[in-house]
Amino acid sequence: MSQVLVASNRGPVSFSLSEDGELTMRRGGGGLVSGLAAVTGTPREPNAPRDPGTARGSGLGRGAGVGVVPSAEVPGVLWVCASMGEADRTAARRSPDGRIDLAGYETGGAAVRMLDIPAGTFHRAYNAVANSTLWFVHHLLYDTPRSPHFDARTRRDWQSYEAYNAAFADALARDAAPGAKAAIQDYHLSLAPRMLRDRRPDLRIVHFSHTPWAPPEYYRLLPDDIGSQILLGILGADHAGFLTERWASAFLDCCEMLPGARVDRAARTVTCSGHVTRVGVHGLGVDGTALRLRAAEPDVAERARALREQVGGRQLIVRVDRTELSKNIVRGLAAYRELLVNHPEWRGRVVHLAFAYPSRYDLPEYREYTAAVERTAKQIGDEFGTADWDPLILQVNDDYPRSLAAYGLADVLLVNPIRDGMNLVAKEGPVLSERGCALVLSREAGAAAELSEDALTVNPFDVSQTAETLHHALLMPRAERSERCGRLAAAATALPPQRWFADQLAALD
């Protein structure tokens, strides 16, 4: 029985299946995995901590080869996760009751239970509800004249989301020692806290939201019953955690819509059906030491040499993202084009490195968005490129060492999401900057709450403002840039993952 349990959709390991049925394990992807791996001692691939810019995570992509992140001395941890694909489901079935660590796989000494959730149930819960509905609501992504459109199919998909959450609640209830702490992570598992409390009222439960939280007027796009169930689900926890005050406040605003709920702003509590849930803010930064050690590896140096040869002595504007709708890549590219139009003196003197990681290709909106990114990039190259100058280098593939190398070389780092829970790219870049980079940062990123004083903040919808801010960043004196970057790096490392997770557990005491 475990004293500390972690529950998340994506787990610390994932599997691939060869044609002959051989399973190969690798570290799981996603920013959440990196943050939690730092405190649970689960595997980390040396060349790939995370997906870019979420935190919802944030950092970068996946690779091969398994290392182990040192544990922050959290004893008796069990990580419960879902099987993300057929290879994962095969591994779960071949392991004793889904316990990957008991099947001979190296998980860094941590216990990992991978749930064999039926493929159809997982698809509807993950894609139709979590990624196509809840993600869109919290990131304000809907084109409201056309979507959302909630109908009978929505209710069928919702039943799968309920079943998916119930599978987690059952596993946690079974594996938890009396009085154990359960840390349930993110929007995929919004119902699990209430379900777990019903099964095991002795447990102490925290739910943490890595996304933004929608303001009440937007949250009300959800069907009334679904919106209420999500709030009631999270309020089954003893503590509800958020990345910034802004998202916590929006959650409290939404809770005020619940019949019978009592919100105490001063105490930051919500009382509902006799149960009190405290609401807290737990910022997430980066592990500066680990990040710098990784950036010192030979593969990063090799990528840096190749980039220097490719761009020459020109100044560099760098961005690193997933091809995720909320990351606002197309407007960022449009701003770079406007910079070249309005300030022709930069032509031939600057290169934009845009490194994107493929994201959610199983959803048509994401495939279309990636195609739009590629079209926009090609248009810029066709319009401004010359025989000896490529103004824009776009790469849409997983290459974590390349991204670390780009951080080090950047003169300007552009992070302009429409909306983001935190965005760790904004924190990783200054930490690895070799010459001191200027940070152009969307005011809608959670990271702006901590970094806005030394970043150059922009309205992510204002392409012209972003273009002029890039111009200002390129002209910033090196000494000022270096001083700002140093303060940004200090802020970025002030709340490492170990502290972030420990604070959640401490809040249950």
Side-chain angles (χ1 to χ4, degrees):
M1 306 295 284
S2 297
Q3 297 296 330
V4 175
L5 300 99
V6 175
S8 64
N9 174 69
R10 192 182 298 275
V13 297
S14 65
F15 291 86
S16 58
L17 195 63
S18 65
E19 292 183 1
D20 61 2
E22 186 72 22
L23 285 168
T24 302
M25 191 189 81
R26 66 191 302 179
R27 177 200 168 276
L32 173 58
V33 169
S34 285
L36 293 176
V39 294
T40 58
T42 45
R44 181 189 72 183
E45 293 177 30
N47 57 340
R50 309 185 275 289
D51 292 337
T54 59
R56 237 253 52 82
S58 69
L60 304 157
R62 295 195 295 259
V66 175
V68 176
V69 179
S71 170
E73 298 182 359
V74 180
V77 175
L78 172 67
W79 194 326
V80 180
C81 60
S83 298
M84 299 291 293
E86 193 53 43
D88 282 357
R89 282 187 281 275
T90 299
R93 292 165 191 158
R94 292 180 182 177
S95 302
D97 201 19
R99 281 287 299 274
I100 303 301
D101 54 302
L102 301 180
Y105 295 103
E106 175 52 56
T107 61
V112 179
R113 185 180 302 286
M114 188 172 281
L115 303 180
D116 180 14
I117 297 172
T121 299
F122 177 83
H123 171 77
R124 290 185 292 272
Y126 180 66
N127 286 322
V129 177
N131 290 344
S132 295
T133 302
L134 302 184
W135 181 270
F136 272 58
V137 166
H138 289 314
H139 290 82
L140 316 187
L141 292 177
Y142 279 122
D143 178 10
T144 51
R146 299 175 178 83
S147 62
H149 184 89
F150 297 124
D151 53 16
R153 181 175 180 176
T154 303
R155 294 320 195 278
R156 290 194 295 271
D157 293 336
W158 182 252
Q159 289 176 352
S160 291
Y161 185 78
E162 291 175 318
Y164 165 89
N165 274 255
F168 274 86
D170 288 340
L172 293 168
R174 178 183 55 190
D175 289 323
K181 297 179 178 181
I184 300 173
Q185 303 291 316
D186 228 2
Y187 63 106
H188 311 89
L189 296 172
S190 298
L191 305 181
R194 174 68 60 185
M195 292 176 169
L196 181 56
R197 179 157 303 285
D198 291 343
R199 290 158 172 76
R200 289 288 303 274
D202 63 301
L203 301 184
R204 290 168 290 170
I205 304 167
V206 58
H207 181 276
F208 193 88
S209 295
H210 293 260
T211 63
W213 193 272
E217 61 272 18
Y218 205 90
Y219 188 81
R220 292 177 70 175
L221 290 176
L222 291 170
D224 292 351
D225 57 327
I226 289 176
S228 294
Q229 286 183 61
I230 291 168
L231 293 172
L232 292 171
I234 293 176
L235 292 175
D238 298 290
H239 188 80
F242 297 88
L243 287 163
T244 70
E245 292 282 354
R246 183 180 178 185
W247 314 141
S249 180
F251 176 75
L252 292 173
D253 291 341
C254 290
C255 287
E256 287 184 329
M257 301 186 302
L258 274 176
R262 187 172 73 254
V263 175
D264 185 331
R265 295 279 179 170
R268 210 151 55 179
T269 61
V270 182
T271 304
C272 187
S273 301
H275 177 70
V276 178
T277 301
R278 295 188 178 276
V279 176
V281 175
H282 308 281
L284 176 60
V286 300
D287 185 332
T289 300
L291 191 62
R292 292 184 184 101
L293 286 173
R294 178 63 190 91
E297 293 293 325
D299 56 350
V300 177
E302 178 185 343
R303 303 297 199 284
R305 283 193 297 271
L307 287 173
R308 287 191 189 97
E309 291 177 5
Q310 191 171 10
V311 303
R314 299 177 175 93
Q315 288 192 257
L316 290 180
I317 299 172
V318 171
R319 72 174 303 141
V320 177
D321 300 281
R322 290 179 296 126
T323 52
E324 150 61 48
L325 304 182
S326 66
K327 299 303 180 185
N328 208 24
I329 301 172
V330 171
R331 286 192 188 91
L333 296 179
Y336 178 62
R337 178 190 175 277
E338 192 162 314
L339 169 74
L340 298 179
V341 169
N342 294 342
H343 298 281
E345 66 270 23
W346 287 115
R347 297 178 193 177
R349 296 175 53 209
V350 66
V351 174
H352 187 10
L353 301 180
F355 295 153
Y357 288 68
S359 179
R360 298 175 181 169
Y361 264 43
D362 44 356
L363 296 178
E365 299 94 334
Y366 285 80
R367 293 194 297 272
E368 293 164 9
Y369 189 73
T370 301
V373 168
E374 292 171 335
R375 284 195 303 271
T376 305
K378 184 177 185 304
Q379 290 166 2
I380 292 172
D382 291 344
E383 183 175 0
F384 297 102
T386 64
D388 60 353
W389 175 56
D390 189 350
L392 173 63
I393 299 171
L394 170 70
Q395 294 182 10
V396 182
N397 65 320
D398 288 349
D399 191 336
Y400 181 60
R402 173 201 64 192
S403 298
L404 295 182
Y407 284 155
L409 299 175
D411 295 288
V412 178
L413 180 65
L414 175 60
V415 181
N416 69 317
I418 292 170
R419 194 169 165 89
D420 224 332
M422 176 58 70
N423 194 298
L424 293 189
V425 165
K427 296 187 173 185
E428 292 170 338
V431 171
L432 294 184
S433 177
E434 295 174 0
R435 295 177 294 178
C437 69
L439 173 62
V440 176
L441 177 63
S442 166
R443 68 190 186 193
E444 299 303 313
E450 302 168 31
L451 306 181
S452 60
E453 186 172 337
D454 288 295
L456 303 176
T457 57
V458 295
N459 175 348
F461 300 98
D462 190 338
V463 170
S464 294
Q465 181 200 44
T466 303
E468 288 306 306
T469 305
L470 290 173
H471 175 61
H472 175 56
L474 289 167
L475 291 175
M476 186 180 293
R478 178 62 58 85
E480 179 185 352
R481 219 170 63 187
S482 181
E483 290 173 3
R484 285 175 177 256
C485 186
R487 291 192 294 268
L488 289 168
T493 54
L495 297 168
Q498 294 90 337
R499 178 176 170 184
W500 163 78
F501 189 67
D503 284 352
Q504 293 178 56
L505 297 183
L508 295 176
D509 295 328

